[in-house]
Structure formats: C-alpha cells, structure tokens
Amino acid sequence: MACSVEAKGIEAMEEKSDILAQRRAKLDELRNEGINPFANDFRATHTAAEVHAAHTDHDAEALADCGAHYALAGRIMARRDFGKAAFLQLQDRGGRCQVYVAQEQLGEDAFALYRKLDIGDIVGVTGTPFRTKTGELSLRAASLQLLTKSILPLPEKWHGLTDVETRYRQRYLDLMVNPEVREVFKKRSRIVSAIRDYMVAHDFHEVETPMMQPIAGGATARPFVTHHNALDMTLYLRIAPELYLKRLVVGGFDRVFEINRNFRNEGISIRHNPEFTMMEFYQAYATYEDLMNFTEKLICHVAQEVLGTLMISYGGQPVDLTPPWDRLTVREAIVKYGKVDPAVLDDHAALLQVAKKLEIDVEPTIGHGKLLLEVFEAVAEPHLWQPTFITQYPTEVSPLSRKNDADPEIVDRFELYIVGRELANAFSELNDPIDQKERFLAQLAEKEAGDEEAHAMDEDYIRALEYGLPPTAGEGIGIDRLVMLLTDSASIRDVILFPQLRPEKQ
RNA sequence: GAGCCGGUAGCUCAGUCGGUAGAGCAUCUGACUUUUAAUCAGAUGGUCGUGGGUUCGAUCCCCCCCCGGCUCACCA
C-alpha cells in the first residue's frame, strides 16, 4: 500500500512537469470556474487584415476619434506580459493583429481569466483600435473570451517549425506557424481559380470523369489497383482522364476541361507525388499549333493575375514568361544542346553510339523514336530553362497523337518545358478509329513483350471514335508543377498540402 | 529499388576521442500598465528513433530495422 501511495506521488510530480498535463489541469480549473473552454457563441465582425486595411493612414489622434469597434477571433501566437497588462498577437485567416489587454479595461475577473490563457489558445476579443508608442496598430481589448483551449504547445516563436517531416505530417502546425507556407497554398488556390476562369471565359465546359476506371488509359504509367466488392471487379485509379474527355467531345462537348487528380504507381521524388493534379482540356476544330498559342496566353494570364508580372525567378534564376516562347523540334533541340551531327539522327546505329557515350541505359532492341527521345531528354531537357515548346515527337512514343500529314514518322504534338521540366503535353488527337486500333494493338504487343506501361486496348473508346471524333487538339498541364514554378517551390511536397508519406510509427 | 546525409527536452540546436546529457525559446513560480524574439530572478522538463552486439559501462563504436531529406532510377 505504501508502495502505491509513493507511486501516485511520483505520478503526480511527473504530471505537474508535463506541459500536456499542465494544460489539462488548466482545462479542469476553467471548467470548475464555470467557463466553457470550447465555447461557440462568439461572432467576429472583422478580420485582422480588415482592421489593418481600415486604418493604414490613421495616426493616433485619428484613431482615437474614429469610433471604430471590432470583434476579432483567432489564435494567440505570442504574448508579452507586464503585470497588470499585456500584448498579444492574435492570428486569424487574414493575418495578425496585436491586442492590448489591461486589467484597467477588462476588469479583474476577465484579466484573471486572461492570465490562465496560453499561446495557442483561440479567443474572441472586442475592442477599439489605437496606436502604441512604437506606432503599431493594436486593439485595446474591452472584452476577452476563451473559445478553444489548446493543450499542446506551439513550436518556438523565433525558429518556428523547420523539421520537414513534421511540417508534412502535421501540416496544420506548419500552416499555423509558417506564414509563407500559408501564402503558397493561397497562391495555389488563386492559380487554379485563374485557370478555371480563363477556361470558362474561352467557352470551355468543366466536367468530372471517372477516377476509378476498368481500364487505366490515356497515358503510359503503372496504375494503382483496387477492387469493387459489389461489382466484384478490378478497378484502376486513373492515370489520366484523356479517353473519357475525348468521348465527351464525340458527344458534342466541343470544348471540355477537367482539373483533377491523377494517380500513378511510381517513384516519389522532388517532382513526383503518387497523386497529382492535372488540367486536361480538349478543343474541337483546333490543332496542336492553336494550343501552343493558347497555352502561352493561359500561363501568362495566370502569372499576371496571381503575381502581377511575367518576369519571375525560380531557384534564384530568372525566368521570362513574355511571349512568344521558343519553339524547337526534338531533333533541333538534340542538335543544339547535344552538339550532335544532324546526320546521326537518322542513323540508328550511330545514334545508339551517341546514347552509349552519354551513358544512357537503353535496350539494344530499342525503336528509333524511343531512342531519339531518350537522347533528347539527356542532352536537351536540362537546358530548357526559359519557356520552350518542343515539337515533332516520334510516332512510336505517342500512341494517341495524330500523325503529321507530311511525315508519318512524327506526330502533331508538343511538350512545354520551363525550368528544365515538362509542364504540359499536347497534341492533335488521333481520330481515325482504324489507325487508333492499330496503335492499341502495337501497344498490346509491347505489353506482351513485357512493357508494363504499354497502353491497354480500350474497345469502347474505339467505338466512340467510330462514331466520329471531330478534329480535336488536347492538352494536359501539370498543375503542381505550374504552382511550383509560380511559387518558387523546390519540391512538389511544398505545393501539395498532404504529400504522401509512410505511416508514422506509433 | 540503390547511394549519401540526418533522427538528442514541446520547438530550434549543441555535445559526449565510451563514464547514463546542455543552451535558447516554450512551460511553471515571482516582479513589472505601451511591448515587438520584451526584460529580470528562480525552477521543472530527456527510455539521446527501435532492437541487438562489443564493453565493467553505449546517446557516442559495430550490425539490423524504422522514419525523413537529397541524388539516381521510374515518370509528369
């Protein structure tokens, strides 16, 4: 018995020293005093940003006379106590506002409550604006109410939260204490809105197509596999919406777009997350050349709208988005950046030698088109820092693109590169059902030969083409990568709120 | 999947050529009615990522594993 009493004593001591336990004890104390630590009867009239905006030009005298009265709600991010008065930083969705709490204004009871509050608590404050000695616009609290008690301590006020793992796992904390992170995600939202507005303004119709597909088509990538119990069937998370969107063009939606997630069961890197956001859009009676012009205008519109400039910087290097952007063919890019003799580009054996010299790992049986693309990616891609359209892709690597009328070895396709990264991929769509079926069959042969990423046969898509897909051009724009570019973010995880991580160890 | 780097208090970090650890901030107690990382005095706080090995003794050395970052591979 004596033993258990002693154990209890130790437990109590440990509890007293533990911040979580201290905060829990405060919770109980507040409840015992009849205060609801999770009240929901406060209505803010303004945000911190609105208060600042209303009084930017007001000096102390003007403020005293303005007669304004505000109710703000937010989280206490900092406090500086001076006995019977204190300053605190209140943070809401619009920013921060300093609040001056003094026993003189609040009264003894309310001030006693204030003293029980902690950094991290969410409160409602009413009061009048004034300027402190140092000129900071502040709210003189007339009343203070606890709205939500926080029982975990916030990261440090000066260094903040820098541990990358914690920032990704506990994004709520990251957003709470790192204002620049909040800005990135606000910007992301504005970018998506600007894109959507631009598309709608150009008569595109927004749609949503299946994320769970019986055939994962529209791209070459390994899919995630799942199972529907009631239908007892295998389903794939989509790797692209392409084939569904084109079905809609067949159906008469001449201009469609979708901004949504794709899922690809592949490696994770600074540029790849298993789920990522793409905008795909299709325009009937247009060609890939029309889309190049459109893409320039779209991205410039977004940059101008969100950043107010076309001269941006990424990773410390300038990027000039001013149109017109450079246009190079795959071959021209290889010659320009790889210092490769143009004659070699048509000589398979010689090009294989070039690839070998570049230490590109290629199968000896590789097709010429694939080989060209491999060499292009090795020698040219890293140099494409300023916005550049690359055209004339080999037919072999473009199973859904329309062949060029003059040269069937290439297709009417472009990819857009900025800061050495592929940002968009577009082509005039293949709308000949017989040609499409043959390309699917060729892909099928590759699949049987062991290529896991080869495109699957989609009979219904062929059927749709047999009804007639008007001449159409389509494009996919990687939204995450565009956001990375426009927010100067080094990692895709910095523009995805909850990037994929392994589960936290318990 | 491979290579390199990292994991120490709530947060940001230091440290121990092997003798069970420190600082700042946060927290607690006290002082303080215009601060701006407020200040001053005192105090609490750690299974040093997990498991094993070597050793009289491991947070430190060795091995396995877990988690993360970067590079590469796959890809957008």
Side-chain angles (χ1 to χ4, degrees), chain A residues 148-211:
Chain A
T148 301
K149 185 74 193 142
S150 166
I151 59 173
L152 281 176
L154 251 41
E156 201 215 353
K157 60 186 169 190
W158 187 241
H159 299 93
L161 179 68
T162 59
D163 180 72
V164 187
E165 186 174 350
T166 312
R167 288 187 42 223
Y168 296 154
R169 286 196 195 283
Q170 297 178 253
R171 186 67 91 177
Y172 42 88
L173 254 194
D174 191 25
L175 290 167
M176 218 184 279
V177 304
N178 292 326
E180 67 284 1
V181 172
R182 211 163 38 237
E183 282 314 305
V184 166
F185 288 103
K186 282 185 178 175
K187 223 176 244 179
R188 178 174 179 132
S189 168
R190 296 213 304 277
I191 289 166
V192 172
S193 293
I195 293 171
R196 184 169 274 127
D197 291 347
Y198 193 85
M199 298 307 289
V200 170
H202 286 78
D203 210 15
F204 282 85
H205 176 65
E206 184 169 9
V207 295
E208 289 164 283
T209 62
M211 311 280 268

Side-chain angles (χ1 to χ4, degrees), chain A residues 106-247:
Chain A
L106 277 183
E108 275 185 34
D109 288 353
F111 195 75
L113 165 69
Y114 162 75
R115 296 184 72 138
K116 290 203 174 76
L117 297 185
D118 291 293
I119 290 173
D121 287 354
I122 295 168
V123 296
V125 180
T126 65
T128 51
F130 74 108
R131 275 198 198 278
T132 63
K133 275 182 186 168
T134 50
E136 178 162 348
L137 181 68
S138 308
L139 203 64
R140 180 177 278 114
S143 77
L144 177 77
Q145 185 186 355
L146 174 62
L147 300 178
T148 301
K149 185 74 193 142
S150 166
I151 59 173
L152 281 176
L154 251 41
E156 201 215 353
K157 60 186 169 190
W158 187 241
H159 299 93
L161 179 68
T162 59
D163 180 72
V164 187
E165 186 174 350
T166 312
R167 288 187 42 223
Y168 296 154
R169 286 196 195 283
Q170 297 178 253
R171 186 67 91 177
Y172 42 88
L173 254 194
D174 191 25
L175 290 167
M176 218 184 279
V177 304
N178 292 326
E180 67 284 1
V181 172
R182 211 163 38 237
E183 282 314 305
V184 166
F185 288 103
K186 282 185 178 175
K187 223 176 244 179
R188 178 174 179 132
S189 168
R190 296 213 304 277
I191 289 166
V192 172
S193 293
I195 293 171
R196 184 169 274 127
D197 291 347
Y198 193 85
M199 298 307 289
V200 170
H202 286 78
D203 210 15
F204 282 85
H205 176 65
E206 184 169 9
V207 295
E208 289 164 283
T209 62
M211 311 280 268
M212 300 164 78
Q213 305 178 345
I215 299 166
T220 52
R222 282 153 71 185
F224 288 93
V225 187
T226 187
H227 184 262
H228 191 284
N229 289 340
L231 296 175
D232 188 23
M233 69 185 289
T234 298
L235 285 170
Y236 301 91
L237 299 191
R238 78 177 187 192
I239 55 175
E242 169 148 359
L243 300 187
Y244 286 93
L245 291 173
K246 281 192 274 193
R247 282 172 169 97

Side-chain angles (χ1 to χ4, degrees), chain A residues 380-451:
Chain A
E381 225 180 78
H383 298 284
L384 303 174
W385 187 266
Q386 300 300 330
T388 308
F389 290 111
I390 299 295
T391 60
Q392 296 193 5
Y393 278 76
T395 305
E396 191 188 335
V397 297
S398 316
L400 300 163
S401 310
R402 185 180 195 278
K403 280 177 193 161
N404 184 269
D405 284 338
D407 179 1
E409 292 300 308
I410 57 171
V411 289
D412 289 339
R413 170 180 176 190
F414 74 81
E415 288 195 353
L416 169 65
Y417 284 85
I418 309 182
V419 300
R421 284 180 200 154
E422 185 190 334
L423 229 79
N425 177 22
F427 39 84
S428 298
E429 302 298 334
L430 172 61
N431 62 346
D432 174 346
I434 292 137
D435 186 354
Q436 180 67 76
K437 187 157 192 176
E438 278 169 12
R439 302 240 211 135
F440 275 158
L441 287 170
Q443 288 285 312
L444 222 53
E446 288 204 30
K447 198 164 205 128
E448 271 156 26
D451 184 350

